[in-house]
Amino acid sequence: MDNEFKFCPQCGAKVKASAKFCPKCGHRFVEMTTNQSDDQSHTDLPHGSRKKDNDGNQFF
């Protein structure tokens, strides 16, 4: 069945459809619900790519 796999938008790896993270690059897959807006671009960043300024505040 084709629905058993999906492709990581970050690195293109083929992963199980039920995966929460890409095993190759660590990208977190976000399931969209009706309560989430379409502007979730900051959640598409791979783990560890969020930066902090000198005061410890995160920025993207």
Side-chain angles (χ1 to χ4, degrees):
M1 295 181 114
D2 290 333
N3 293 337
E4 294 179 15
F5 293 96
K6 59 186 172 185
F7 291 91
C8 175
Q10 187 72 30
C11 71
K14 186 176 179 180
V15 298
K16 290 182 180 181
S18 61
K20 304 267 188 230
F21 294 89
C22 174
K24 184 175 179 182
C25 72
H27 173 78
R28 183 179 73 171
F29 298 110
V30 178
E31 292 184 28
M32 296 297 288
T33 64
T34 56
N35 293 336
Q36 289 179 317
S37 70
D38 290 336
D39 186 20
Q40 294 288 322
S41 58
H42 67 276
T43 60
D44 292 336
L45 296 172
H47 179 71
S49 67
R50 295 182 181 168
K51 307 288 184 194
K52 291 186 178 181
D53 63 14
N54 291 335
D55 295 325
N57 299 315
Q58 280 190 341
F59 61 93
F60 303 97

